[in-house]
Amino acid sequence: MQNAAIVTLLSALAGPLLIAHSVCAAPAGAARVAVFGHVDKDTVEIYTLSNAHGIEARIMTYGASIVSLKTPDRDGHLQNIVLGFDTLDPYLAGVPYYGATVGRYANRIAQARFALDGATYSLVANDGPNSLHGGPRGFDKRVWKADATASRNSLKLTYVSAAGEEGYPGQLTAHVTYRLLEDDSLIIEYEATTTAPTPVNLTNHAYFNLSGDPTRSILEHKLTINADRFTPVDATLIPTGELRAVAGTPFDFRNEAVIGARIDADDAQLKVGRGYDHNWVLNAAQGNVLRFAALLADPVSGRVLEVRTTQPGLQFYSGNFMNGKQAGAGSVYGYRTGLCLETQHFPDSPNQPAFPSTILRPGETYVQKTVLHFRPLKAPAN
Ligand code: GLA
């Protein structure tokens, strides 16, 4: 039999097997991609990035979201350290921002409006009187397009947000690139351009639980934040404009502190946030320079996550609104079983002239980068 005939015969016999093979185990260097579901006419794909140490990030095109992220504990045991779901349905049912890329404006804009170049723009209020995370259908609820250059360790996603979408001016072309490096870091790079001046603030909303056990609360995790100040908020979580010193408050994470140690302290800011749900002003945040933002450590699993960023702020959210009852979720995540470290510009910047500007103009390129580095906790010296 000719070779070609053998191949034809084999593929006829093993057709489904070969198809499954091409989906799950692409040749070295190529992207691993599978279909995760559908949104109307759009197919949602899920990509698997991996490195030689077994670190594996699964990212889907719905919301350009991190669905799972496996990293080793101190014994090399790989477990998922972000909360997510096995199917698309809970995401479509509206679980809040799990692993998603949030935009056009991450965090809150007061009274769902802002003025820019003399015009006033109205957004949709979806968080009391305010706009939260880009509005009711922000970037987390859009199907992004994966670039054909996707590989075993890199994926670039693009979303074109129409002028006027969710009330924002200008057509915004946004890119998010995920790269998983052999030094055990996941790099998240953002880029955007616009056809008219617009506020832009992009972040990732992964809920971390370094224990790998999502039934455990995150209160025993230890956190360091490289910030001398934070932005206190009013009753609707809008910054008052003050940059307040963390010294002497439960917001002081300049030295490593257990998250649960002061979370229920008698403190007016903790009361309005129902825990931590605040923006820290990162130190030495001058220009677009990558620098240390936060260190999260779980003493039980021995996992450490270090966050570096070019962004000026970090929203630390301690999962205070989690209640185990999210609509459509196959497995439900309880109170404070995940925490977010959202590198970003400060909340409500479009209405707060003293905050670093979030306005992008035609001809400029918005560029931000966040690096998540995974490593084991050093064993305590005997
Ligand atoms: C953010 C906000 C929180 C909350 C969560 C989602 O991080 O700051 O107040 O809305 O998203 O539940």
Side-chain angles (χ1 to χ4, degrees):
M1 212 186 277
Q2 297 296 309
N3 279 352
I6 295 172
V7 170
T8 314
L9 180 66
L10 280 179
S11 45
L13 288 172
L17 211 100
L18 286 181
I19 291 165
H21 178 82
S22 67
V23 168
C24 301
R32 278 204 283 161
V33 55
V35 171
F36 199 53
H38 295 88
V39 181
D40 302 325
K41 286 188 292 313
D42 292 322
T43 300
V44 175
E45 298 166 327
I46 186 158
Y47 285 78
T48 303
L49 311 185
S50 57
N51 79 0
H53 305 128
I55 296 186
E56 184 194 270
R58 286 162 70 237
I59 292 150
M60 67 165 165
T61 53
Y62 184 73
S65 312
I66 303 175
V67 173
S68 66
L69 177 55
K70 285 189 188 153
T71 70
D73 67 8
R74 64 157 71 79
D75 301 318
H77 184 44
L78 293 163
Q79 280 171 313
N80 181 19
I81 61 156
V82 298
L83 307 186
F85 303 91
D86 293 337
T87 64
L88 186 58
D89 294 349
Y91 295 96
L92 299 183
V95 294
Y97 316 104
Y98 277 73
T101 299
V102 180
R104 186 179 296 202
Y105 196 93
N107 217 310
R108 292 171 177 80
I109 294 184
Q111 301 300 314
R113 63 165 180 260
F114 62 91
L116 175 57
D117 296 344
T120 297
Y121 295 90
S122 292
L123 310 169
V124 179
N126 61 338
D127 187 62
N130 306 320
S131 169
L132 175 65
H133 292 333
R137 234 189 123 203
F139 289 9
D140 61 298
K141 295 180 187 68
R142 307 280 174 172
V143 180
W144 293 56
K145 199 176 167 342
D147 197 279
T149 59
S151 71
R152 178 177 172 263
N153 57 12
S154 145
L155 172 66
K156 181 175 186 179
L157 298 145
T158 299
Y159 176 64
V160 180
S161 165
E165 186 181 281
E166 300 291 290
Y168 288 95
Q171 175 183 288
L172 187 86
T173 301
H175 305 284
V176 179
T177 304
Y178 291 97
R179 283 188 295 130
L180 184 58
L181 302 189
E182 292 305 322
D183 71 356
D184 297 345
S185 52
L186 180 67
I187 318 258
I188 311 176
E189 276 162 312
Y190 304 92
E191 243 183 67
T193 51
T194 184
T195 59
T198 178
V200 185
N201 190 23
L202 303 178
T203 193
N204 180 276
H205 204 291
Y207 290 81
F208 295 100
N209 184 324
L210 298 186
S211 75
D213 174 2
T215 64
R216 274 190 48 200
S217 101
I218 46 76
L219 295 179
E220 292 163 42
H221 283 39
K222 294 176 174 176
L223 181 64
T224 311
I225 303 178
N226 180 23
D228 295 338
R229 294 170 298 172
F230 75 110
T231 51
V233 289
D234 69 13
T236 69
L237 301 188
I238 294 294
T240 60
E242 180 190 350
L243 306 184
R244 186 179 294 173
V246 295
T249 79
F251 293 80
D252 190 350
F253 283 93
R254 290 173 300 173
N255 295 311
E256 185 178 74
V258 176
I259 290 173
R262 299 165 297 176
I263 200 167
D264 295 319
D266 186 15
D267 177 278
Q269 280 299 310
L270 285 175
K271 290 212 170 85
V272 289
R274 304 194 201 181
Y276 296 107
D277 194 355
H278 296 77
N279 168 66
W280 272 252
V281 178
L282 294 173
N283 289 339
Q286 295 299 317
N288 225 279
V289 177
L290 197 64
R291 69 214 175 280
F292 173 60
L295 191 79
L296 182 67
D298 171 38
V300 177
S301 66
R303 289 192 179 88
V304 175
L305 164 66
E306 183 186 297
V307 182
R308 287 184 298 144
T309 191
T310 55
Q311 303 253 31
L314 176 89
Q315 181 88 5
F316 163 39
Y317 167 59
S318 52
N320 315 311
F321 295 117
M322 301 176 76
N323 60 9
K325 288 193 205 122
Q326 281 135 7
S331 66
V332 280
Y333 296 121
Y335 186 52
R336 294 179 175 163
T337 55
L339 68 93
C340 303
L341 298 171
E342 303 158 60
T343 54
Q344 55 171 261
H345 267 256
F346 304 173
D348 197 34
S349 297
N351 293 312
Q352 308 240 6
F355 288 177
S357 172
T358 51
I359 304 304
L360 180 71
R361 295 181 181 276
E364 299 172 347
T365 304
Y366 166 95
V367 183
Q368 296 290 347
K369 180 171 177 172
T370 292
V371 178
L372 308 178
H373 182 252
F374 315 105
R375 60 171 179 263
L377 199 58
K378 283 193 195 78
N382 290 321

PDB file of all heavy atoms in Angstrom, residues 96-97 107-108 127 132-133 205 207 237 273 276-278 315-322 326 340 342 344, ligand 1:
ATOM      1  N   PRO A  96     -19.412  37.206  39.081  1.00  0.00           N
ATOM      2  CA  PRO A  96     -18.764  38.522  38.974  1.00  0.00           C
ATOM      3  C   PRO A  96     -17.256  38.512  38.659  1.00  0.00           C
ATOM      4  O   PRO A  96     -16.440  38.360  39.547  1.00  0.00           O
ATOM      5  CB  PRO A  96     -19.044  39.187  40.318  1.00  0.00           C
ATOM      6  CG  PRO A  96     -19.352  38.080  41.248  1.00  0.00           C
ATOM      7  CD  PRO A  96     -19.805  36.893  40.449  1.00  0.00           C
ATOM      8  N   TYR A  97     -16.967  38.648  37.370  1.00  0.00           N
ATOM      9  CA  TYR A  97     -15.609  39.007  36.906  1.00  0.00           C
ATOM     10  C   TYR A  97     -14.534  37.953  37.185  1.00  0.00           C
ATOM     11  O   TYR A  97     -13.350  38.279  37.234  1.00  0.00           O
ATOM     12  CB  TYR A  97     -15.169  40.363  37.504  1.00  0.00           C
ATOM     13  CG  TYR A  97     -16.243  41.407  37.463  1.00  0.00           C
ATOM     14  CD1 TYR A  97     -16.955  41.763  38.607  1.00  0.00           C
ATOM     15  CD2 TYR A  97     -16.582  42.030  36.266  1.00  0.00           C
ATOM     16  CE1 TYR A  97     -17.975  42.705  38.566  1.00  0.00           C
ATOM     17  CE2 TYR A  97     -17.604  42.975  36.213  1.00  0.00           C
ATOM     18  CZ  TYR A  97     -18.286  43.308  37.369  1.00  0.00           C
ATOM     19  OH  TYR A  97     -19.294  44.235  37.326  1.00  0.00           O
ATOM     20  N   ASN A 107     -13.075  49.297  37.965  1.00  0.00           N
ATOM     21  CA  ASN A 107     -13.451  49.977  39.202  1.00  0.00           C
ATOM     22  C   ASN A 107     -14.554  51.019  38.942  1.00  0.00           C
ATOM     23  O   ASN A 107     -15.177  51.012  37.895  1.00  0.00           O
ATOM     24  CB  ASN A 107     -12.229  50.572  39.913  1.00  0.00           C
ATOM     25  CG  ASN A 107     -12.342  50.461  41.426  1.00  0.00           C
ATOM     26  OD1 ASN A 107     -13.368  50.836  41.995  1.00  0.00           O
ATOM     27  ND2 ASN A 107     -11.321  49.948  42.076  1.00  0.00           N
ATOM     28  N   ARG A 108     -14.738  51.931  39.888  1.00  0.00           N
ATOM     29  CA  ARG A 108     -15.949  52.748  39.877  1.00  0.00           C
ATOM     30  C   ARG A 108     -15.743  54.135  39.271  1.00  0.00           C
ATOM     31  O   ARG A 108     -14.671  54.729  39.425  1.00  0.00           O
ATOM     32  CB  ARG A 108     -16.462  52.910  41.314  1.00  0.00           C
ATOM     33  CG  ARG A 108     -16.973  51.592  41.874  1.00  0.00           C
ATOM     34  CD  ARG A 108     -17.288  51.647  43.355  1.00  0.00           C
ATOM     35  NE  ARG A 108     -17.839  50.362  43.790  1.00  0.00           N
ATOM     36  CZ  ARG A 108     -17.090  49.281  44.057  1.00  0.00           C
ATOM     37  NH1 ARG A 108     -15.779  49.326  43.968  1.00  0.00           N
ATOM     38  NH2 ARG A 108     -17.669  48.161  44.426  1.00  0.00           N
ATOM     39  N   ASP A 127     -23.912  49.881  40.006  1.00  0.00           N
ATOM     40  CA  ASP A 127     -23.414  49.621  41.360  1.00  0.00           C
ATOM     41  C   ASP A 127     -23.913  50.784  42.213  1.00  0.00           C
ATOM     42  O   ASP A 127     -23.200  51.770  42.381  1.00  0.00           O
ATOM     43  CB  ASP A 127     -21.878  49.557  41.334  1.00  0.00           C
ATOM     44  CG  ASP A 127     -21.308  49.116  42.669  1.00  0.00           C
ATOM     45  OD1 ASP A 127     -21.606  47.999  43.101  1.00  0.00           O
ATOM     46  OD2 ASP A 127     -20.568  49.908  43.280  1.00  0.00           O
ATOM     47  N   LEU A 132     -19.654  50.506  37.572  1.00  0.00           N
ATOM     48  CA  LEU A 132     -18.602  49.595  38.048  1.00  0.00           C
ATOM     49  C   LEU A 132     -18.095  48.748  36.883  1.00  0.00           C
ATOM     50  O   LEU A 132     -18.892  48.183  36.124  1.00  0.00           O
ATOM     51  CB  LEU A 132     -19.158  48.682  39.152  1.00  0.00           C
ATOM     52  CG  LEU A 132     -18.205  47.579  39.663  1.00  0.00           C
ATOM     53  CD1 LEU A 132     -16.984  48.167  40.364  1.00  0.00           C
ATOM     54  CD2 LEU A 132     -18.943  46.622  40.602  1.00  0.00           C
ATOM     55  N   HIS A 133     -16.756  48.672  36.776  1.00  0.00           N
ATOM     56  CA  HIS A 133     -16.108  47.734  35.849  1.00  0.00           C
ATOM     57  C   HIS A 133     -16.633  47.808  34.416  1.00  0.00           C
ATOM     58  O   HIS A 133     -16.918  46.792  33.781  1.00  0.00           O
ATOM     59  CB  HIS A 133     -16.247  46.305  36.386  1.00  0.00           C
ATOM     60  CG  HIS A 133     -15.448  46.051  37.648  1.00  0.00           C
ATOM     61  ND1 HIS A 133     -14.309  46.754  37.970  1.00  0.00           N
ATOM     62  CD2 HIS A 133     -15.636  45.150  38.655  1.00  0.00           C
ATOM     63  CE1 HIS A 133     -13.828  46.303  39.115  1.00  0.00           C
ATOM     64  NE2 HIS A 133     -14.606  45.346  39.557  1.00  0.00           N
ATOM     65  N   HIS A 205      -9.125  40.493  36.945  1.00  0.00           N
ATOM     66  CA  HIS A 205      -9.904  40.316  38.172  1.00  0.00           C
ATOM     67  C   HIS A 205      -9.846  38.869  38.677  1.00  0.00           C
ATOM     68  O   HIS A 205     -10.860  38.313  39.138  1.00  0.00           O
ATOM     69  CB  HIS A 205     -11.348  40.754  37.909  1.00  0.00           C
ATOM     70  CG  HIS A 205     -12.121  41.180  39.110  1.00  0.00           C
ATOM     71  ND1 HIS A 205     -12.512  40.302  40.095  1.00  0.00           N
ATOM     72  CD2 HIS A 205     -12.579  42.391  39.488  1.00  0.00           C
ATOM     73  CE1 HIS A 205     -13.194  40.965  41.019  1.00  0.00           C
ATOM     74  NE2 HIS A 205     -13.247  42.236  40.678  1.00  0.00           N
ATOM     75  N   TYR A 207      -9.512  35.879  41.116  1.00  0.00           N
ATOM     76  CA  TYR A 207      -9.659  35.648  42.553  1.00  0.00           C
ATOM     77  C   TYR A 207      -8.637  34.582  42.924  1.00  0.00           C
ATOM     78  O   TYR A 207      -8.746  33.434  42.483  1.00  0.00           O
ATOM     79  CB  TYR A 207     -11.043  35.094  42.879  1.00  0.00           C
ATOM     80  CG  TYR A 207     -12.202  36.055  42.713  1.00  0.00           C
ATOM     81  CD1 TYR A 207     -12.752  36.305  41.460  1.00  0.00           C
ATOM     82  CD2 TYR A 207     -12.782  36.673  43.811  1.00  0.00           C
ATOM     83  CE1 TYR A 207     -13.841  37.159  41.314  1.00  0.00           C
ATOM     84  CE2 TYR A 207     -13.863  37.523  43.677  1.00  0.00           C
ATOM     85  CZ  TYR A 207     -14.388  37.766  42.421  1.00  0.00           C
ATOM     86  OH  TYR A 207     -15.467  38.607  42.276  1.00  0.00           O
ATOM     87  N   LEU A 237     -18.161  53.555  47.994  1.00  0.00           N
ATOM     88  CA  LEU A 237     -16.819  53.080  47.585  1.00  0.00           C
ATOM     89  C   LEU A 237     -16.154  53.959  46.520  1.00  0.00           C
ATOM     90  O   LEU A 237     -15.287  53.495  45.773  1.00  0.00           O
ATOM     91  CB  LEU A 237     -16.849  51.607  47.143  1.00  0.00           C
ATOM     92  CG  LEU A 237     -17.347  50.589  48.182  1.00  0.00           C
ATOM     93  CD1 LEU A 237     -17.140  49.160  47.696  1.00  0.00           C
ATOM     94  CD2 LEU A 237     -16.676  50.771  49.534  1.00  0.00           C
ATOM     95  N   GLY A 273     -16.185  49.135  53.356  1.00  0.00           N
ATOM     96  CA  GLY A 273     -15.774  48.119  52.382  1.00  0.00           C
ATOM     97  C   GLY A 273     -16.246  46.722  52.742  1.00  0.00           C
ATOM     98  O   GLY A 273     -16.065  45.799  51.959  1.00  0.00           O
ATOM     99  N   TYR A 276     -11.621  44.523  53.201  1.00  0.00           N
ATOM    100  CA  TYR A 276     -10.760  45.277  52.284  1.00  0.00           C
ATOM    101  C   TYR A 276     -11.385  45.314  50.896  1.00  0.00           C
ATOM    102  O   TYR A 276     -11.681  44.266  50.301  1.00  0.00           O
ATOM    103  CB  TYR A 276      -9.373  44.636  52.207  1.00  0.00           C
ATOM    104  CG  TYR A 276      -8.627  44.668  53.526  1.00  0.00           C
ATOM    105  CD1 TYR A 276      -8.450  43.514  54.283  1.00  0.00           C
ATOM    106  CD2 TYR A 276      -8.098  45.869  54.014  1.00  0.00           C
ATOM    107  CE1 TYR A 276      -7.764  43.531  55.491  1.00  0.00           C
ATOM    108  CE2 TYR A 276      -7.412  45.908  55.225  1.00  0.00           C
ATOM    109  CZ  TYR A 276      -7.245  44.741  55.960  1.00  0.00           C
ATOM    110  OH  TYR A 276      -6.571  44.778  57.157  1.00  0.00           O
ATOM    111  N   ASP A 277     -11.604  46.501  50.380  1.00  0.00           N
ATOM    112  CA  ASP A 277     -12.064  46.705  49.003  1.00  0.00           C
ATOM    113  C   ASP A 277     -11.630  48.119  48.622  1.00  0.00           C
ATOM    114  O   ASP A 277     -12.439  49.007  48.404  1.00  0.00           O
ATOM    115  CB  ASP A 277     -13.593  46.535  48.921  1.00  0.00           C
ATOM    116  CG  ASP A 277     -14.082  46.404  47.483  1.00  0.00           C
ATOM    117  OD1 ASP A 277     -13.260  46.539  46.558  1.00  0.00           O
ATOM    118  OD2 ASP A 277     -15.292  46.170  47.289  1.00  0.00           O
ATOM    119  N   HIS A 278     -10.313  48.311  48.620  1.00  0.00           N
ATOM    120  CA  HIS A 278      -9.736  49.655  48.523  1.00  0.00           C
ATOM    121  C   HIS A 278      -8.554  49.663  47.563  1.00  0.00           C
ATOM    122  O   HIS A 278      -7.943  48.632  47.289  1.00  0.00           O
ATOM    123  CB  HIS A 278      -9.241  50.123  49.907  1.00  0.00           C
ATOM    124  CG  HIS A 278     -10.332  50.283  50.921  1.00  0.00           C
ATOM    125  ND1 HIS A 278     -10.910  49.200  51.554  1.00  0.00           N
ATOM    126  CD2 HIS A 278     -10.950  51.394  51.413  1.00  0.00           C
ATOM    127  CE1 HIS A 278     -11.844  49.635  52.386  1.00  0.00           C
ATOM    128  NE2 HIS A 278     -11.882  50.966  52.324  1.00  0.00           N
ATOM    129  N   GLN A 315      -5.994  47.573  43.684  1.00  0.00           N
ATOM    130  CA  GLN A 315      -7.214  47.349  44.444  1.00  0.00           C
ATOM    131  C   GLN A 315      -7.104  45.976  45.084  1.00  0.00           C
ATOM    132  O   GLN A 315      -7.003  44.965  44.395  1.00  0.00           O
ATOM    133  CB  GLN A 315      -8.443  47.398  43.512  1.00  0.00           C
ATOM    134  CG  GLN A 315      -9.781  47.197  44.208  1.00  0.00           C
ATOM    135  CD  GLN A 315     -10.409  48.484  44.738  1.00  0.00           C
ATOM    136  OE1 GLN A 315      -9.891  49.582  44.511  1.00  0.00           O
ATOM    137  NE2 GLN A 315     -11.514  48.377  45.452  1.00  0.00           N
ATOM    138  N   PHE A 316      -7.092  45.963  46.416  1.00  0.00           N
ATOM    139  CA  PHE A 316      -7.109  44.685  47.143  1.00  0.00           C
ATOM    140  C   PHE A 316      -8.536  44.475  47.622  1.00  0.00           C
ATOM    141  O   PHE A 316      -9.061  45.254  48.419  1.00  0.00           O
ATOM    142  CB  PHE A 316      -6.109  44.724  48.298  1.00  0.00           C
ATOM    143  CG  PHE A 316      -6.322  43.653  49.343  1.00  0.00           C
ATOM    144  CD1 PHE A 316      -6.703  42.357  48.992  1.00  0.00           C
ATOM    145  CD2 PHE A 316      -6.132  43.937  50.695  1.00  0.00           C
ATOM    146  CE1 PHE A 316      -6.915  41.374  49.959  1.00  0.00           C
ATOM    147  CE2 PHE A 316      -6.339  42.964  51.666  1.00  0.00           C
ATOM    148  CZ  PHE A 316      -6.743  41.680  51.295  1.00  0.00           C
ATOM    149  N   TYR A 317      -9.159  43.425  47.086  1.00  0.00           N
ATOM    150  CA  TYR A 317     -10.554  43.096  47.408  1.00  0.00           C
ATOM    151  C   TYR A 317     -10.550  41.734  48.086  1.00  0.00           C
ATOM    152  O   TYR A 317     -10.058  40.760  47.512  1.00  0.00           O
ATOM    153  CB  TYR A 317     -11.382  43.092  46.112  1.00  0.00           C
ATOM    154  CG  TYR A 317     -12.758  42.470  46.249  1.00  0.00           C
ATOM    155  CD1 TYR A 317     -13.679  42.979  47.164  1.00  0.00           C
ATOM    156  CD2 TYR A 317     -13.150  41.401  45.456  1.00  0.00           C
ATOM    157  CE1 TYR A 317     -14.937  42.412  47.302  1.00  0.00           C
ATOM    158  CE2 TYR A 317     -14.410  40.832  45.575  1.00  0.00           C
ATOM    159  CZ  TYR A 317     -15.300  41.336  46.500  1.00  0.00           C
ATOM    160  OH  TYR A 317     -16.547  40.775  46.641  1.00  0.00           O
ATOM    161  N   SER A 318     -11.077  41.663  49.310  1.00  0.00           N
ATOM    162  CA  SER A 318     -10.956  40.422  50.085  1.00  0.00           C
ATOM    163  C   SER A 318     -12.181  39.505  49.969  1.00  0.00           C
ATOM    164  O   SER A 318     -12.445  38.712  50.873  1.00  0.00           O
ATOM    165  CB  SER A 318     -10.640  40.747  51.554  1.00  0.00           C
ATOM    166  OG  SER A 318     -11.557  41.680  52.089  1.00  0.00           O
ATOM    167  N   GLY A 319     -12.890  39.602  48.852  1.00  0.00           N
ATOM    168  CA  GLY A 319     -13.988  38.655  48.596  1.00  0.00           C
ATOM    169  C   GLY A 319     -15.175  38.850  49.512  1.00  0.00           C
ATOM    170  O   GLY A 319     -15.900  37.892  49.826  1.00  0.00           O
ATOM    171  N   ASN A 320     -15.418  40.117  49.921  1.00  0.00           N
ATOM    172  CA  ASN A 320     -16.450  40.384  50.922  1.00  0.00           C
ATOM    173  C   ASN A 320     -17.874  40.178  50.410  1.00  0.00           C
ATOM    174  O   ASN A 320     -18.788  39.992  51.202  1.00  0.00           O
ATOM    175  CB  ASN A 320     -16.318  41.832  51.428  1.00  0.00           C
ATOM    176  CG  ASN A 320     -14.870  42.166  51.716  1.00  0.00           C
ATOM    177  OD1 ASN A 320     -14.192  41.409  52.385  1.00  0.00           O
ATOM    178  ND2 ASN A 320     -14.378  43.274  51.183  1.00  0.00           N
ATOM    179  N   PHE A 321     -18.040  40.260  49.084  1.00  0.00           N
ATOM    180  CA  PHE A 321     -19.396  40.066  48.537  1.00  0.00           C
ATOM    181  C   PHE A 321     -19.632  38.609  48.147  1.00  0.00           C
ATOM    182  O   PHE A 321     -20.703  38.262  47.669  1.00  0.00           O
ATOM    183  CB  PHE A 321     -19.614  40.956  47.294  1.00  0.00           C
ATOM    184  CG  PHE A 321     -19.591  42.424  47.589  1.00  0.00           C
ATOM    185  CD1 PHE A 321     -18.623  43.250  47.030  1.00  0.00           C
ATOM    186  CD2 PHE A 321     -20.528  42.994  48.441  1.00  0.00           C
ATOM    187  CE1 PHE A 321     -18.599  44.611  47.300  1.00  0.00           C
ATOM    188  CE2 PHE A 321     -20.512  44.354  48.716  1.00  0.00           C
ATOM    189  CZ  PHE A 321     -19.544  45.170  48.149  1.00  0.00           C
ATOM    190  N   MET A 322     -18.641  37.759  48.318  1.00  0.00           N
ATOM    191  CA  MET A 322     -18.820  36.353  47.939  1.00  0.00           C
ATOM    192  C   MET A 322     -19.745  35.695  48.971  1.00  0.00           C
ATOM    193  O   MET A 322     -19.584  35.912  50.169  1.00  0.00           O
ATOM    194  CB  MET A 322     -17.470  35.632  47.933  1.00  0.00           C
ATOM    195  CG  MET A 322     -16.476  36.258  46.986  1.00  0.00           C
ATOM    196  SD  MET A 322     -14.860  35.454  47.093  1.00  0.00           S
ATOM    197  CE  MET A 322     -15.208  33.952  46.186  1.00  0.00           C
ATOM    198  N   GLN A 326     -23.615  32.253  43.884  1.00  0.00           N
ATOM    199  CA  GLN A 326     -23.653  32.943  42.599  1.00  0.00           C
ATOM    200  C   GLN A 326     -24.430  32.168  41.537  1.00  0.00           C
ATOM    201  O   GLN A 326     -24.243  30.970  41.381  1.00  0.00           O
ATOM    202  CB  GLN A 326     -22.239  33.252  42.128  1.00  0.00           C
ATOM    203  CG  GLN A 326     -21.717  34.475  42.860  1.00  0.00           C
ATOM    204  CD  GLN A 326     -20.331  34.315  43.358  1.00  0.00           C
ATOM    205  OE1 GLN A 326     -19.679  33.325  43.067  1.00  0.00           O
ATOM    206  NE2 GLN A 326     -19.867  35.278  44.115  1.00  0.00           N
ATOM    207  N   CYS A 340      -8.728  39.427  45.347  1.00  0.00           N
ATOM    208  CA  CYS A 340      -8.255  40.014  44.090  1.00  0.00           C
ATOM    209  C   CYS A 340      -7.177  41.049  44.385  1.00  0.00           C
ATOM    210  O   CYS A 340      -7.274  41.796  45.369  1.00  0.00           O
ATOM    211  CB  CYS A 340      -9.399  40.704  43.364  1.00  0.00           C
ATOM    212  SG  CYS A 340     -10.767  39.597  43.028  1.00  0.00           S
ATOM    213  N   GLU A 342      -5.995  43.758  42.072  1.00  0.00           N
ATOM    214  CA  GLU A 342      -6.248  44.343  40.750  1.00  0.00           C
ATOM    215  C   GLU A 342      -5.324  45.530  40.537  1.00  0.00           C
ATOM    216  O   GLU A 342      -5.531  46.597  41.107  1.00  0.00           O
ATOM    217  CB  GLU A 342      -7.712  44.787  40.650  1.00  0.00           C
ATOM    218  CG  GLU A 342      -8.699  43.673  40.912  1.00  0.00           C
ATOM    219  CD  GLU A 342     -10.076  44.187  41.338  1.00  0.00           C
ATOM    220  OE1 GLU A 342     -10.701  44.931  40.571  1.00  0.00           O
ATOM    221  OE2 GLU A 342     -10.517  43.861  42.450  1.00  0.00           O
ATOM    222  N   GLN A 344      -4.106  48.639  38.698  1.00  0.00           N
ATOM    223  CA  GLN A 344      -4.986  49.545  37.943  1.00  0.00           C
ATOM    224  C   GLN A 344      -4.636  50.998  38.227  1.00  0.00           C
ATOM    225  O   GLN A 344      -3.796  51.305  39.066  1.00  0.00           O
ATOM    226  CB  GLN A 344      -6.429  49.303  38.393  1.00  0.00           C
ATOM    227  CG  GLN A 344      -6.557  49.467  39.906  1.00  0.00           C
ATOM    228  CD  GLN A 344      -7.977  49.471  40.440  1.00  0.00           C
ATOM    229  OE1 GLN A 344      -8.541  50.476  40.692  1.00  0.00           O
ATOM    230  NE2 GLN A 344      -8.558  48.372  40.626  1.00  0.00           N
TER     231      GLN A 344
HETATM  232  C1  GLA B   1     -14.354  44.689  42.602  1.00  0.00           C
HETATM  233  C2  GLA B   1     -14.964  45.716  43.416  1.00  0.00           C
HETATM  234  C3  GLA B   1     -15.742  45.069  44.500  1.00  0.00           C
HETATM  235  C4  GLA B   1     -16.705  44.061  43.923  1.00  0.00           C
HETATM  236  C5  GLA B   1     -15.974  43.057  43.078  1.00  0.00           C
HETATM  237  C6  GLA B   1     -16.919  42.115  42.414  1.00  0.00           C
HETATM  238  O1  GLA B   1     -13.123  44.327  42.879  1.00  0.00           O
HETATM  239  O2  GLA B   1     -14.071  46.644  43.940  1.00  0.00           O
HETATM  240  O3  GLA B   1     -16.414  46.018  45.226  1.00  0.00           O
HETATM  241  O4  GLA B   1     -17.636  44.728  43.137  1.00  0.00           O
HETATM  242  O5  GLA B   1     -15.240  43.726  42.111  1.00  0.00           O
HETATM  243  O6  GLA B   1     -17.862  41.540  43.259  1.00  0.00           O
END
